[in-house]
Amino acid sequence: MVEKWIAVIGSPRKGKNTDLIVDYFIQGLVEKNIEVDKFLLSSSNITTCTGCEYCIKSGTCIIEDDTFKIIEGMKKANGYIFASPSYNYNVTAQMKALLDRTFCLNDYSNGCKSRLSPNKKAIVIGVCKGSKKESMGFTVECMSKTLSDLDVNIINTLEYYDTKNMPVANNDSIKEKINELIRDL
C-alpha cells in the first residue's frame, strides 16, 4: 500500500516562498514513493465557520464547499503538511478558516476525541518576512495546536525567517535541510 499525504498551503501567493518550500517537501516525499495531494487554499472555495454546531452531532460540516475535499483528504491520508506565511503574527485568513472548519473532526459524544484514524502525522511550516522568531508570532503554534487536538503527531516543524532578504528561491541550503527532515520520516 502506497503511503499518502496531503499538503495544505495557506499562502495566497502561488509559486512564492510558502508554496515553494512545500514543493520542496513534496519532491522529497515523492522520491520516497509517497503520494501527495496539494491544496492551495487561495484557489479553493472555503467559507468561514458559522458556529452552527451542526458538526458536533453529525461529524460533518453543513457548509458545502471545497473544505469537504480537504477534510476527506485528511481522513484518508497518512500524513499532512500544513504551511502558512505569518500575517500579522498568525496564519493567513485562508488557513484560519480551514482550521476552524476541522472542528467537525472532533467527536464530543463521550468526552472529546478525534474522528481521525490513529497514527496520523504532520509537518508544520511557518514562513515569515521578519528576521526574528517574534515576527512569526503564533503561526506555527496555531496549526500545531489544532492538529495536535485531533491527535495528529507533529513529527516536525520548520520555521523559515527573513524572506525579505533571503527568499526561499535564493536559498540553496533549504533544500538540503528539507531533505534531512524527510530522510528521518
Side-chain angles (χ1 to χ4, degrees):
M1 184 172 108
V2 174
E3 190 168 345
K4 182 119 174 135
W5 282 51
I6 65 167
V8 180
I9 298 108
S11 175
R13 300 174 64 222
K14 187 176 179 176
K16 299 297 182 183
N17 294 303
T18 305
D19 190 27
L20 187 56
I21 213 164
V22 169
D23 282 346
Y24 294 162
F25 271 99
I26 291 172
Q27 287 170 355
L29 291 171
V30 168
E31 289 173 12
K32 291 182 69 111
N33 294 317
I34 297 172
E35 290 181 17
V36 183
D37 288 334
K38 182 176 172 181
F39 296 94
L40 292 165
L41 298 183
S42 62
S43 300
S44 303
N45 174 27
I46 297 179
T47 304
T48 57
C49 177
T50 63
C52 71
E53 298 185 357
Y54 176 84
C55 65
I56 290 176
K57 290 182 180 154
S58 70
T60 58
C61 184
I62 198 167
I63 302 169
E64 295 180 16
D65 62 9
D66 291 340
T67 302
F68 177 80
K69 290 187 276 187
I70 299 170
I71 297 289
E72 287 303 304
M74 290 177 72
K75 290 176 181 176
K76 294 174 184 171
N78 303 98
Y80 319 132
I81 299 169
F82 272 68
S84 179
S86 180
Y87 279 21
N88 204 18
Y89 306 101
N90 212 327
V91 294
T92 61
Q94 295 91 334
M95 179 62 78
K96 179 66 169 104
L98 174 68
L99 294 175
D100 287 348
R101 297 280 300 284
T102 65
F103 188 74
C104 67
L105 293 171
N106 292 297
D107 182 355
Y108 293 100
S109 60
N110 188 15
C112 180
K113 62 184 180 196
S114 177
R115 286 187 159 110
L116 293 171
S117 59
N119 303 317
K120 303 287 186 179
K121 55 193 167 202
I123 298 169
V124 176
I125 304 165
V127 177
C128 186
K129 193 174 199 171
S131 61
K132 299 178 185 167
K133 186 164 182 66
E134 295 80 29
S135 301
M136 187 72 69
F138 303 101
T139 305
V140 171
E141 184 180 355
C142 178
M143 292 180 284
S144 296
K145 180 67 174 148
T146 302
L147 292 170
S148 293
D149 281 352
L150 293 169
D151 293 329
V152 175
N153 179 23
I154 309 302
I155 59 172
N156 226 312
T157 60
L158 177 68
E159 296 182 2
Y160 189 95
Y161 299 99
D162 203 18
T163 59
K164 179 179 180 181
N165 295 308
M166 180 56 76
V168 171
N170 296 352
N171 186 343
D172 295 332
S173 66
I174 193 62
K175 276 188 174 180
E176 185 176 317
K177 181 174 181 164
I178 290 168
N179 285 332
E180 286 174 24
L181 293 174
I182 290 172
R183 221 179 347 258
D184 296 337
L185 290 179

